Amino acid sequence: MELEDTEERIDTSRDARLPDQFAAVVDALSNTVALRGLVAIAVGTVVLLLPNATTNLVTLILISLLVFSGLMDLFYSMTGRRWFGRRINRWLTAPRGLAALLAAAAMGVLTYAGSSDITLTVTVGVLGIYVGVRGIVAVIAAIVKRRDQDMLPGLVGGALAIIAGILAYTVPSSIVSTVIVAAASASLVIGFVLISWSFRRASRGTGVDPATASIIDVLWDWIDRSDVGRKGRSERADTLYLERPQRLTKLGTWWVMLVLSVAIATFAVLADSTAVIIGAMLVAPLMTPILGLSGAIVNGWGRRALESALLVASGAAVSVVLAYGITAWAPVAISFTTNSQIVSRVSPNTIDMLIALAAGAAGAFATVNSRVAAGIAGVAIAVALVPPLAVVGVCLNGGRFDDAVGAALLFLTNFVAIVLAAAAVFVITGFARPYALRNKPRQILQTVAPFLALAGIIMLPLMLTSESLLQTENRERDVQNTVQEWLGDDSEFDITSVSVSPGQVQVTITGPGDPPSAQSLADAVQGDVPNPVSLQLTVVPVEVTTIPAPSG
């Protein structure tokens, strides 16, 4: 009886606390910062769920921003007065303003005269020209005014703008989807940070007034209050850097594990074994110095950054050489066209960079948060570092230099993406020193800028590959529909395969009897591809024999 009364009192007190907890949640979210966070989450969610409406809205916003920017530049070039932006040479702002207005006019014509499917793509291509022009202007202005101000920010910003302009003009459809998804993801992340800051403010208090604070103020306050402290930073640094005590022992262990992982990965590639590749990923130690490089960059640790970069570079070189040597002595005949471990790593695309970004963020979070440290094994499997290097050595040994370049590009993609994503997570989670971020921005910019530029350069071949794959898939789908119409709804033939390659379309059908005229199919297929192609039609006959059941 007493036990039942106790349980009843516990349930009653728990029920009584529920309204208080709900009221606390409402109170924590009843400020402008939390409301902005909810709006950011809602906007990011809508952008991801409604891509068609998003493209139309983005087009309208881009046109409006270009008109505003162009008018401001022309006004500044004529009067010398400016309300927004930095003051630069007035003679440079005049052509930049005209370029903005011309780009806005071109996008407006495309919006109202073209189809909705291609408007944003063409718009981004035109915008790419404008951004590239602005980047050239920024670089020239930084060089001209190098005696009056630090030209590093201008050079970095101009170079990034030029790279972005080239990407937007070269692969507009890929850049559209990438920018929209990235903006939506950033909106979601910022929204969750703002809401988390509101809950932290309700429980711990803060000196920032949510009614007047900007998003930048809130983010700085979040970084300051997320600081793990000197002791916590030292403990985490011990797992990222091979330093004293026992520095030589740590280095020896690292090199032993690297050699073993490369050997496992090379044998797995030669045997075309996915299971063994996973084993090589689990024991590969390259993730540690890459995360260490990110941590050194955001903390302003120059020596550690240099040591981590040298360790990654030397480890990659040794991996390629070791894989080359193992392949030279292995008594195995390698098929470079059918080996799945090679084929899957010689043509990287933007999906590989997105995977590496997510894996780098997860690895950095697991490093900072000890409660999820066990997840680092999953990160090692998600983003392959040693297997691409093994493929480079195997391909070099076989004289497949193009495939070797593709595998090396995959490793470089993973490396750069992990560094950038991990650096961002280290800043948000408090591993980066707030003092360094506030007082050494130029030093940090100098170390981050090359990775940003390299990421932009890498994105060009990745997006070209993605664009080519997407176009091929769309054309194969169109050709398959054309073949189905050519056969007719009542045909007994089945489409076995459809392949579209430069200059040729290959179609294989299976069924009994005679198919329709191949010439009519060749004429119909020409409308599905931009250039003249030959048709290779393969008909696999089917002979059906029916033997009735014996009577009685």
Side-chain angles (χ1 to χ4, degrees), residues 19 58 443 481:
V58 168
Q443 180 180 346
N481 293 334

Side-chain angles (χ1 to χ4, degrees), residues 305-316:
L306 180 60
E307 290 179 353
S308 298
L310 290 176
L311 194 60
V312 173
S314 59

Side-chain angles (χ1 to χ4, degrees), residues 449-474:
F451 291 97
L452 291 174
L454 187 58
I457 295 172
I458 290 173
M459 285 296 289
L460 182 58
L462 296 183
M463 286 190 171
L464 286 174
T465 303
S466 299
E467 193 104 339
S468 176
L469 291 174
L470 182 61
Q471 289 179 357
T472 301
E473 291 176 0
N474 290 336

Side-chain angles (χ1 to χ4, degrees), residues 1 70 78 112 122 164 175 203 230 276 287 380 419 437 451 544:
M1 188 67 179
M78 291 184 293
Y112 292 104
V122 179
I175 209 72
S203 60
R230 180 176 298 179
V276 181
M287 178 68 81
V419 169
L437 296 175
F451 291 97
V544 180

